[in-house]
Amino acid sequence: MTAAVAEALPAYFDFVRRLVAERAAIVLDATKLYLVDARVMPVAARHGFDSIAAMVSAIRSRPFGLIHEEIIEALTTNETSFFRDVTPFEALKKTILPELIQKRGAQRELSIWSAACSSGQELYSIALMLRESFPTLGSWKVNLLGTDYSTQMIERAASAVYNQSEVNRGLPASYLVKYFQRQGLQWRLSDSIRTMTTWRRLNLIEPWSSVVAPMDVVFLRNVLIYFSPDDKKKVLAQVRKVLRPDGCMFLGGAETTMKLDDSFERFPCDGAVCYRLKGGCT
Ligand SMILES: C[S@@+](CC[C@H](N)C(=O)[O-])C[C@H]1O[C@@H](n2cnc3c(N)ncnc32)[C@H](O)[C@@H]1O
């Protein structure tokens, strides 16, 4: 950001920008002033301030607390849908899972992680696919973990309740009929699928590689896009430590490991782009 642009911005913007960058790695440039205004004003109003400027001057010198956390939560972008982008799920179903099932036949255990899971549709899409297409896994230990920075999102994901427009986005009608029950204006996913999953709050830029178990598949989609190159590198370095040598990672369509971490190699798979560790067995 040039000095002239920074000077033209309201002082509260710099405070908010630094707060989300330091705590959650989310980068907000000057073009995101409108986003800060739209999303942070409700936080200010909730806490009795008549402007963001008034709230920021009150909390500027306070230790990190509830309001700071609410500001960060408000600035996470939680866009997601069932079977988003389709091809990663196709690759998982047609190639990645059949191969992993063969290799893990002795241990009968599989671990899949949706890192930055938002309201949970990504991990539930995987759970639904496993139940529909891989009945043999019924007798395996299958660990499906969803994590996100946002406590609100983790609570939503764990509740497994979605509104009409959410179930209209990407979810096959046959799955809606078979696995969801209507609850007023909402739809509740059946316990038989919900209980396949575990949900935890996790900040990707804090150290976590010692607390996340080794993973066979990592979905790290549409989150690195918000981070600086340095923070992307830090996250990928941690993924490297938890991804099994023959495991695979999916990124979002606008994301890559190129120029960030050359220990990963990309390979095309059923129309999707997957990443694996170089030198890992395939
Ligand atoms: C656009 S959603 C992606 C959801 C899903 N992976 C998908 O592709 O549909 C991005 C998610 O990243 C989460 N996020 C942002 N910064 C994070 C951080 N530092 N650690 C963990 N999650 C973060 C947000 O809370 C948000 O739910």
Side-chain angles (χ1 to χ4, degrees), residues 57-79:
S57 61
I59 65 167
R60 190 178 277 285
S61 50
R62 284 191 209 164
F64 187 85
L66 179 68
I67 300 187
H68 301 77
E69 195 59 81
E70 285 186 25
I71 293 172
I72 300 170
E73 285 249 357
L75 287 164
T76 59
T77 296
N78 310 119
E79 166 70 14

Side-chain angles (χ1 to χ4, degrees), residues 39-168:
R39 294 195 187 168
V40 179
M41 190 54 222
V43 179
R46 243 189 341 265
H47 289 275
F49 297 99
D50 60 10
S51 67
I52 303 175
M55 175 175 73
V56 165
S57 61
I59 65 167
R60 190 178 277 285
S61 50
R62 284 191 209 164
F64 187 85
L66 179 68
I67 300 187
H68 301 77
E69 195 59 81
E70 285 186 25
I71 293 172
I72 300 170
E73 285 249 357
L75 287 164
T76 59
T77 296
N78 310 119
E79 166 70 14
T80 190
S81 57
F82 288 102
F83 296 96
R84 182 177 186 180
D85 302 334
V86 183
T87 55
F89 300 94
E90 288 294 307
L92 204 56
K93 182 168 145 183
K94 289 189 188 150
T95 304
I96 308 289
L97 280 173
E99 285 179 9
L100 280 171
I101 287 170
Q102 249 190 358
K103 290 178 195 159
R104 303 283 187 272
Q107 303 90 323
R108 297 164 76 79
E109 181 167 356
L110 264 185
S111 298
I112 302 178
W113 178 26
S114 167
C117 60
S118 186
S119 39
Q121 289 91 323
E122 183 168 83
L123 193 64
Y124 286 133
S125 301
I126 296 170
L128 286 163
M129 185 224 288
L130 296 184
R131 180 57 56 87
E132 280 284 306
S133 305
F134 297 93
T136 48
L137 292 179
S139 60
W140 287 38
K141 185 168 188 308
V142 177
N143 310 304
L144 299 182
L145 173 67
T147 66
D148 200 278
Y149 179 93
S150 164
T151 309
Q152 280 173 24
M153 287 302 120
I154 287 300
E155 283 169 3
R156 275 217 59 203
S159 77
V161 175
Y162 295 96
N163 65 30
Q164 189 67 51
S165 67
E166 288 168 331
V167 298
N168 284 348

Side-chain angles (χ1 to χ4, degrees), residues 174-207:
S174 58
Y175 286 11
L176 182 64
V177 171
K178 193 163 168 189
Y179 294 109
F180 286 77
Q181 292 91 45
R182 203 180 246 295
Q183 195 176 67
L185 295 175
Q186 312 268 76
W187 291 90
R188 175 183 287 279
L189 182 59
S190 76
D191 281 351
S192 72
I193 302 294
R194 187 183 55 77
T195 53
M196 293 168 70
T197 58
T198 305
W199 304 94
R200 278 182 36 202
R201 181 176 185 271
L202 186 132
N203 186 348
L204 287 170
I205 56 147
E206 282 172 3

Side-chain angles (χ1 to χ4, degrees), residues 104 109-111 214-216 240 242-248 277:
R104 303 283 187 272
E109 181 167 356
L110 264 185
S111 298
M215 291 289 156
D216 298 299
R240 221 193 290 146
V242 300
L243 186 63
R244 290 209 163 97
D246 57 355
C248 108
L277 291 165

